[in-house]
Amino acid sequence: QVQLVESGGGLVQAGGSLRLSCAASERTFSRYAMGWFRQAPGKEREFVATISWSGAYTVYAHSVKGRFTISRDNAKKTVYLQMNSLKPEATAVYYCAASTTAQAQINVYDYWGQGTQVTVSS
């Protein structure tokens, strides 16, 4: 099975930047589309970004478009989320997930990491 481990979360001031990483334990990592989701307390888990296995296709939530960038390094079996111009509403637990297709719909993702906390202060 695929094991995913997120890292890079923390506390950052509004307007600052963070880069999240998600490392996979599976040799077939390059054949999976990867996604980032986030969940704030009392809110449902929401889509942030996804990237195809080749890296050629990406989709972003409207709320982060132009500020966040998803990328992947298949040699390192790692997917990244670069977050710039962070706003307090970005405060959430961020989850990495793997899917056979690069979609925004949460139920297409088969494997999930444990999440990493991102807190943006105002």
Side-chain angles (χ1 to χ4, degrees):
Q1 59 181 313
V2 177
Q3 185 177 35
L4 303 173
V5 180
E6 302 95 336
S7 62
L11 176 64
V12 64
Q13 190 174 356
S17 298
L18 283 174
R19 189 181 75 159
L20 306 183
S21 298
C22 173
S25 62
E26 170 59 46
R27 289 183 296 174
T28 60
F29 169 81
S30 63
R31 299 195 178 200
Y32 286 92
M34 301 296 297
W36 286 97
F37 293 76
R38 65 187 181 188
Q39 187 168 25
K43 302 291 194 299
E44 67 180 20
R45 193 168 298 185
E46 68 174 353
F47 168 76
V48 176
T50 188
I51 186 168
S52 64
W53 67 267
S54 69
Y57 174 79
T58 58
V59 179
Y60 296 90
H62 179 74
S63 61
V64 306
K65 194 172 299 181
R67 299 183 298 110
F68 288 15
T69 302
I70 189 170
S71 61
R72 65 190 297 160
D73 185 336
N74 288 341
K76 293 183 176 180
K77 297 188 292 184
T78 302
V79 64
Y80 305 95
L81 184 69
Q82 178 67 46
M83 305 184 294
N84 298 326
S85 301
L86 282 164
K87 302 175 181 179
E89 53 262 42
T91 295
V93 176
Y94 283 71
Y95 297 90
C96 175
S99 174
T100 55
T101 57
Q103 302 291 328
Q105 188 175 202
I106 193 169
N107 64 3
V108 307
Y109 291 84
D110 301 309
Y111 304 99
W112 294 82
Q114 294 300 304
T116 185
Q117 177 71 48
V118 172
T119 302
V120 184
S121 62
S122 59

